[in-house]
Amino acid sequence: NADLRGISFLGFSVDSQEKIEQGTYVKFELTVKSSNETFGGRGKIAHSSEITKYGSRFFQMGIEFVNIDNEKLPYFVHLIRHDIMGKSGHKQ
């Protein structure tokens, strides 16, 4: 489990309690909680850094897309943007 920090058309970044080494291939499934929509595929850990903030330790990782549904990606990014804007109270 990890918290999504950001997503683009090339990959995404997460914060996690567990470190995965750079170069490791992973299967992933991202979920937009407000709509229960999911997006999955395979990725490669492009970078992994240990962060200590406010006395807590976690890892920030960047995952490069390797095998995904390229047609579903724009829709999923739109859902995430819509979810974020809704939580912040901003209109699109």
Side-chain angles (χ1 to χ4, degrees), residues 31-61:
T31 304
V32 177
K33 291 181 182 178
S34 64
S35 65
N36 228 16
E37 292 276 347
T38 61
F39 178 75
R42 285 184 32 117
K44 180 180 176 183
I45 304 297
H47 68 84
S48 183
S49 304
E50 183 175 340
I51 306 293
T52 302
K53 196 172 194 177
Y54 308 116
S56 296
R57 187 189 85 182
F58 59 95
F59 300 93
Q60 288 183 347
M61 293 176 281

Side-chain angles (χ1 to χ4, degrees), residues 24-83:
T24 302
Y25 286 86
V26 295
K27 287 184 180 180
F28 65 85
E29 183 174 273
L30 305 174
T31 304
V32 177
K33 291 181 182 178
S34 64
S35 65
N36 228 16
E37 292 276 347
T38 61
F39 178 75
R42 285 184 32 117
K44 180 180 176 183
I45 304 297
H47 68 84
S48 183
S49 304
E50 183 175 340
I51 306 293
T52 302
K53 196 172 194 177
Y54 308 116
S56 296
R57 187 189 85 182
F58 59 95
F59 300 93
Q60 288 183 347
M61 293 176 281
I63 297 103
E64 175 185 340
F65 291 133
V66 173
N67 184 7
I68 60 167
D69 181 344
N70 287 313
E71 291 184 18
K72 187 175 180 183
L73 180 59
Y75 171 70
F76 193 76
V77 170
H78 169 77
L79 284 177
I80 291 171
R81 182 176 179 268
H82 186 265
D83 190 57

